[in-house]
């Protein structure tokens, strides 16, 4: 496939020299970091035009893929109603509309009350995302926030649900929002580095300029998270980093009281809190790497009692307190399980699931005094289901399953779990799905991965994948180190000085799929986003011969250069994930895999990189610089394309149909790169 007839945009080389630990780092494209330079915008637009020109022959395929994906969406739909006292809250979508309408009814069959129509709120904007959505305790007011740029920075509004009027002045740069009572709410705000760092108290009817600063997190490694316990009795402010947490609390009955620290922060000690009766319930890794669950009297937090012990083979992911039940979400052998007991940890029952490979987790559970637990359940072949589990009887009922209007028969597909052997002997799980009638002949395969922040890549259903599966693909997930699929140690072995394990794990998964006949190098495509984009770029540098096509979504490729910029959003907080290049031992490991700095002359697979102009998590210039340098070193005629969304941020388009155009573009690129344009 030659693209020589089309000339890619030329990025001028303007070398900037960085000297560090005796090394000389040459950054030839640092000038692309200046988004105020008209030449930078012109370059990004030229890259977009070039990508469109190269992929013009696949335009009919792209339209076909978009139509397939859209036909699988039930355009007129309604979510499962969530009980909150006398009201039932839900969202619904209308045919042709990009965004949901947020509604409620009084009881199960009362008249519909529209609280927010995001389609109306989005008028005049190319991006619109709902953040906070919190009814007041008396449910007469609604605190909600909107991001209209894609930068994940929200503006807070307070709406009177009786009159429809907006109250007080909107508050800018908001992250979390919680009500204490019907007149008092608390919120956190971002600093210039996009770190949630301050907690404020707002009293209804007053100016936000007069809001009281409750707490400021001065340690740049830590961010703030605010939540209300399900019991409604306490607000919890968690200071968190990659190396520890600290929780403050205040009773919602006394919102003007001082916030108290539950346990002072300690290095590498994480703890997370909920409330039940006279106790705080606490999930902590203090004394248990995979976490244990304890409870402590509110009046004497040091008098702790263990409820669920830590175990070597079970990770405690999360827990929920209800009036009569304690629900613990665990992970064993890479799969989630749900443990239900009385609040003291006795009378244990585990939820049974119908498939050997699946994922599950809490759905929306807003009520404290209930015996009904809402769960989300799906697998690689079972569409997303909302399940209502009766914690008293152990029975379960599917109250809603994602519908595929164009038709879907799960019996046509097979899901498997494999294991690849990493260079150090670690067994790396692989989840995969394919059509039952697919020949085992080394056909096309899409291998995806992430492997950072302890995020576990779940084997869940995605209707968009059917466009690949029905064209003969295997779609596989590499559960590499850096996630927590196999426990906390699986995460620890994939970060900081151990980060290279993430990349060697992924390569081992690719080699295993080839060795076992599922695919071949000329038919293997790989994909990952953000930190998963870093994974893509790193493994391509290490083994460019192993892959035919790469989709790197908003990839983090300038690792060392970014980590040398403490004023860049999130840099300081990320030092405990990747390392601080000012520390030589950490720098040496980062230097060994940094995708931008390790590009070298040679043939490369076909590569599509995406970016968002308003992205604060992975700035647009990161993939732009990577692509510009790639063009200077690749020795073959493979496609290297950069698509920058000039109107969005890290997550791409906000509208449900607009988002499909991005997936259709990526799938068309993969099919083109694998020589399957006519399929």
């Amino acid at each position: 496939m030659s693209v020589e007839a089309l000339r890619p945009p030329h990025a001028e080389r303007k070398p900037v020299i960085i000297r560090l630990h005796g090394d000389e780092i040459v950054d030839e494209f640092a000038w692309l970091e200046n988004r105020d330079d008209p030449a930078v915008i012109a370059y990004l637009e030229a890259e977009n035009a070039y990508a469109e020109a190269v992929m013009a022959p696949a335009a009919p395929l792209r339209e076909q893929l978009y139509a397939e994906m859209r036909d699988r969406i039930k355009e007129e739909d309604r979510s499962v109603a969530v009980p909150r006292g006398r009201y039932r809250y839900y969202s619904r979508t209308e045919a042709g509309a990009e965004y949901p309408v947020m509604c409620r009814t009084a009881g199960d069959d009362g008249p519909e009350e529209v609280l927010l129509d995001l389609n109306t709120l989005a008028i005049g904007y190319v991006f619109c995302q709902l953040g906070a959505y919190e009814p007041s305790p008396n449910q007469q007011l609604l605190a909600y926030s909107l991001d209209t740029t894609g930068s994940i920075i929200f503006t807070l509004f307070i709406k009177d649900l009786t009159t429809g009027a907006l109250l007080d002045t909107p508050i800018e740069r908001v992250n979390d929002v919680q009500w204490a009572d019907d007149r008092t709410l608390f919120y956190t705000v971002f600093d210039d580095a996009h770190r949630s760092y301050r907690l404020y108290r707002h009293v209804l009817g007053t100016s936000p300029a007069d809001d009281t600063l409750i707490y400021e997190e001065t340690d740049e490694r830590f961010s703030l998270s605010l939540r209300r316990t399900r019991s409604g009795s306490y607000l919890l402010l968690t200071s968190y980093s990659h190396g520890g947490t600290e929780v403050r609390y205040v009773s919602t009955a006394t919102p003007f009281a001082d916030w108290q620290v539950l346990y002072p922060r300690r290095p590498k000690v994480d703890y997370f809190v909920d409330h039940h009766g006279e106790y705080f319930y606490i999930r902590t890794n203090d004394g248990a790497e995979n976490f244990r669950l304890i409870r402590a009297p509110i009046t004497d937090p040091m008098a702790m009692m263990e409820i669920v012990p830590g175990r070597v083979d079970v990770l405690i992911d999360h827990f929920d307190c209800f009036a009569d039940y304690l629900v613990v979400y665990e992970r064993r052998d890479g799969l989630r399980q749900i443990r239900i007991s009385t609040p003291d940890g006795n009378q244990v029952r585990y939820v049974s699931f119908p498939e050997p490979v699946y994922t599950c987790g809490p759905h929306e559970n807003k009520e404290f005094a209930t015996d009904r637990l809402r769960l989300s359940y799906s697998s690689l072949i079972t569409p997303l289901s909302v399940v209502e589990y009766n914690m008293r009887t152990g029975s379960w009922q599917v109250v809603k399953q994602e519908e595929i209007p164009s038709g879907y028969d799960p019996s046509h597909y097979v899901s498997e779990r494999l294991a690849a052997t990493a260079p150090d002997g670690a067994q790396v799980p692989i989840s995969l799905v394919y059509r039952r009638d697919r020949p085992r002949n080394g056909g096309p395969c899409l291998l995806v991965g992430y492997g950072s922040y302890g995020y576990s890549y779940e084997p869940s259903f995605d209707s968009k994948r059917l466009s690949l599966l029905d064209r003969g693909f295997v779609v596989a997930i590499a559960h590499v180190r850096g996630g927590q699929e196999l426990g906390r140690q699986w995460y620890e072995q994939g970060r900081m000085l151990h980060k290279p394990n993430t990349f060697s794990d992924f390569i081992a998964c690719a080699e295993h799929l080839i060795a076992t006949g599922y695919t071949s190098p000329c038919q293997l495509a790989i994909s990952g986003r953000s930190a998963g984009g870093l994974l893509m770029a790193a493994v391509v540098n290490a083994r460019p011969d192993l892959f035919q096509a790469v989709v790197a979504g908003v990839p983090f490729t300038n690792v060392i250069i970014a980590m040398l910029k403490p004023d860049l959003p999130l840099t300081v907080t990320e030092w405990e994930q990747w390392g601080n290049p000012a520390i030589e031992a950490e720098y040496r490991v980062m230097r060994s895999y940094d995708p931008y700095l390790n590009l070298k002359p040679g043939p490369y697979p076909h590569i599509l990189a995406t970016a968002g102009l308003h992205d604060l998590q992975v700035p647009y210039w990161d993939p732009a610089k990577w692509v510009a340098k790639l063009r200077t070193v690749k020795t073959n005629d493979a496609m290297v394309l950069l698509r920058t969304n000039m109107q969005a941020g890290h997550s791409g388009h906000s509208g449900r149909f607009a988002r499909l155009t991005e997936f259709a573009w990526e799938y068309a690129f993969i099919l083109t790169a694998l020589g399957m344009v006519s399929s």
Side-chain angles (χ1 to χ4, degrees):
M1 179 189 309
S2 174
V3 295
E4 292 177 350
L6 295 168
R7 297 182 63 84
H10 173 69
E12 189 176 354
R13 299 187 188 187
K14 302 178 182 180
V16 172
I17 307 298
I18 302 170
R19 292 181 173 85
L20 189 63
H21 303 302
D23 290 351
E24 185 175 275
I25 297 171
V26 180
D27 185 359
E28 298 173 309
F29 301 101
W31 66 273
L32 286 172
E33 297 177 18
N34 182 13
R35 61 177 290 163
D36 295 326
D37 182 351
V40 171
I41 300 302
Y43 173 75
L44 297 177
E45 291 174 339
E47 285 283 6
N48 283 347
Y50 173 70
E52 289 294 337
V54 170
M55 288 294 292
L61 172 61
R62 197 160 69 229
E63 293 172 5
Q64 180 184 349
L65 290 164
Y66 173 81
E68 291 172 7
M69 294 176 185
R70 183 159 179 166
D71 285 348
R72 298 188 195 110
I73 294 178
K74 188 178 181 183
E75 294 202 17
E76 293 187 12
D77 203 1
R78 171 173 162 159
S79 69
V80 175
V82 177
R84 284 192 183 205
R86 60 187 289 258
Y87 288 102
R88 305 292 182 265
Y89 289 78
Y90 61 94
S91 64
R92 57 176 174 79
T93 52
E94 299 173 347
E98 287 278 12
Y99 299 102
V101 180
M102 314 302 291
C103 309
R104 73 179 180 186
T105 62
D108 292 326
D109 51 8
E112 179 177 88
E113 181 182 354
V114 174
L115 306 185
L116 296 176
D117 184 343
L118 291 178
N119 299 285
T120 300
L121 295 174
I123 293 174
Y125 301 104
V126 294
F127 186 96
C128 185
Q129 180 178 339
L130 180 65
Y133 182 69
E134 294 293 338
S136 60
N138 65 7
Q139 304 192 72
Q140 294 179 11
L141 304 171
L142 177 69
Y144 70 94
S145 62
L146 293 176
D147 170 18
T148 55
T149 67
S151 59
I152 321 180
I153 296 177
F154 296 86
T155 300
L156 173 64
F157 302 89
I158 302 172
K159 184 175 183 178
D160 187 322
L161 295 179
T162 301
T163 66
L166 293 179
L167 307 178
D168 302 345
T169 303
I171 303 173
E172 303 293 336
R173 301 186 67 82
V174 167
N175 186 23
D176 293 329
V177 180
Q178 292 293 337
W179 295 91
D181 56 32
D182 298 320
R183 292 189 55 80
T184 312
L185 59 79
F186 292 82
Y187 60 93
T188 60
V189 299
F190 291 110
D191 65 8
D192 291 338
H194 200 245
R195 179 177 65 99
S196 183
Y197 80 122
R198 283 181 174 175
L199 172 71
Y200 285 92
R201 181 180 62 227
H202 178 74
V203 177
L204 204 65
T206 65
S207 169
D210 298 326
D211 288 352
T212 302
L213 174 61
I214 301 299
Y215 177 71
E216 179 173 351
E217 179 54 71
T218 57
D219 189 331
E220 293 182 322
R221 298 171 301 169
F222 285 77
S223 300
L224 299 178
S225 172
L226 176 67
R227 58 179 291 267
R228 180 184 173 108
T229 62
R230 181 173 287 99
S231 66
S233 299
Y234 289 90
L235 294 180
L236 304 172
L237 181 73
T238 302
S239 293
Y240 65 93
S241 75
H242 297 300
T245 62
E246 181 177 71
V247 176
R248 287 169 169 78
Y249 65 93
V250 72
S251 169
T252 54
T254 56
F256 288 83
D258 291 336
W259 289 63
Q260 304 296 317
V261 175
L262 184 54
Y263 303 116
R265 66 189 66 175
R266 288 188 287 150
K268 298 185 179 180
V269 173
D270 294 320
Y271 70 98
F272 306 91
V273 181
D274 203 351
H275 164 255
H276 184 283
E278 299 175 352
Y279 298 94
F280 284 130
Y281 280 65
I282 301 151
R283 180 176 71 95
T284 181
N285 65 348
D286 188 13
E289 185 177 47
N290 279 337
F291 291 85
R292 61 190 179 117
L293 190 62
I294 62 176
R295 69 177 183 181
I298 297 169
T299 56
D300 184 11
M302 298 309 296
M304 302 176 230
M305 176 185 298
E306 189 171 81
I307 299 297
V308 183
R311 287 149 290 171
V312 174
D313 59 341
V314 177
L315 173 70
I316 298 179
D317 262 339
H318 178 65
F319 72 98
D320 285 323
C321 290
F322 293 88
D324 298 318
Y325 304 96
L326 173 64
V327 180
V328 180
Y329 302 90
E330 302 175 339
R331 192 181 295 274
R332 183 195 294 267
D333 295 330
L335 292 176
R336 282 184 159 177
Q337 57 187 26
I338 300 176
R339 179 190 194 274
I340 297 175
S341 69
T342 53
D344 59 4
N346 294 317
Q347 300 179 35
V348 177
R349 168 195 291 135
Y350 279 88
V351 178
S352 297
F353 296 102
E355 296 175 276
V357 180
Y358 63 88
T359 185
C360 65
H363 194 252
E364 292 188 84
N365 294 284
K366 299 298 183 181
E367 297 199 310
F368 184 62
T370 179
D371 58 8
R372 306 301 172 93
L373 176 66
R374 288 276 179 84
L375 302 174
S376 296
Y377 174 86
S378 78
S379 73
L380 290 170
I381 60 176
T382 300
L384 177 64
S385 305
V386 178
V387 174
E388 190 166 88
Y389 182 82
N390 190 311
M391 293 185 282
R392 179 175 52 85
T393 66
S395 62
W396 93 346
Q397 176 187 3
V398 177
V399 294
K400 182 179 177 62
Q401 186 175 79
E402 177 187 352
E403 295 183 43
I404 312 296
S406 59
Y408 172 68
D409 185 347
S411 69
H412 291 168
Y413 304 88
V414 178
S415 174
E416 293 183 21
R417 177 66 68 94
L418 310 176
T421 302
D424 64 356
Q427 295 298 294
V428 185
I430 308 171
S431 299
L432 69 161
V433 60
Y434 54 90
R435 279 190 66 100
R436 192 176 296 275
D437 57 2
R438 177 189 189 269
R440 183 85 164 262
N441 62 351
C445 174
L446 174 62
L447 176 63
V448 301
Y450 188 75
S452 292
Y453 304 108
Y455 170 80
S456 297
Y457 207 131
E458 303 294 348
S460 57
F461 185 80
D462 183 350
S463 67
K464 298 185 295 296
R465 285 194 201 119
L466 296 174
S467 290
L468 296 181
L469 298 179
D470 291 345
R471 287 174 169 82
F473 273 75
V474 168
V475 176
I477 302 169
H479 301 287
V480 296
R481 279 175 282 189
Q484 286 191 140
E485 287 91 338
L486 298 184
R488 191 70 174 178
Q489 190 63 24
W490 200 246
Y491 164 55
E492 295 292 345
Q493 291 176 0
R495 74 177 182 114
M496 296 289 287
L497 301 180
H498 304 293
K499 190 61 195 173
N501 285 333
T502 304
F503 316 128
S504 56
D505 283 359
F506 190 89
I507 290 170
C509 290
E511 291 175 331
H512 186 76
L513 290 170
I514 293 167
T516 50
Y518 286 98
T519 190
S520 61
C522 65
Q523 294 177 298
L524 178 56
I526 59 175
S527 177
R529 287 184 58 82
S530 193
L534 161 63
L535 171 60
M536 298 301 106
V539 299
V540 163
N541 280 347
R543 290 293 305 278
D545 60 303
L546 201 55
F547 316 106
Q548 179 72 3
V550 182
V551 176
V554 290
F556 178 41
T557 63
N558 285 235
V559 180
I560 289 175
I561 290 172
M563 291 295 100
L564 285 172
K565 300 176 184 290
D567 56 338
L568 196 68
L570 304 179
T571 290
V572 176
T573 62
E574 296 288 276
W575 282 342
E576 292 176 329
Q577 186 66 221
W578 311 104
N580 183 346
I583 301 170
E584 184 169 4
E586 296 176 8
Y587 163 78
R588 292 297 170 195
V589 174
M590 299 163 74
R591 187 65 180 81
S592 73
Y593 68 78
D594 182 297
Y596 183 62
L597 300 182
N598 281 288
L599 288 168
K600 55 185 180 293
Y604 280 83
H606 301 289
I607 294 175
L608 168 63
T610 67
L613 186 62
H614 302 288
D615 192 341
L616 293 183
Q617 292 168 275
V618 177
Y620 74 89
W621 51 258
D622 192 312
K625 288 167 59 178
W626 180 58
V627 165
K629 189 172 180 180
L630 258 170
R631 293 241 178 80
T632 70
V633 299
K634 80 177 182 73
T635 58
N636 59 344
D637 62 353
M639 294 183 290
V640 173
L641 306 179
L642 171 68
R643 294 190 76 232
T644 302
N645 190 323
M646 308 297 283
Q647 300 170 329
H650 197 63
S651 301
H653 285 300
S654 56
R656 57 177 177 155
F657 302 129
R659 193 177 296 122
L660 292 182
T661 63
E662 297 179 328
F663 284 105
W665 219 102
E666 292 175 10
Y667 280 17
F669 171 83
I670 291 170
L671 290 165
T672 300
L674 268 58
M676 301 175 65
V677 187
S678 61
S679 297

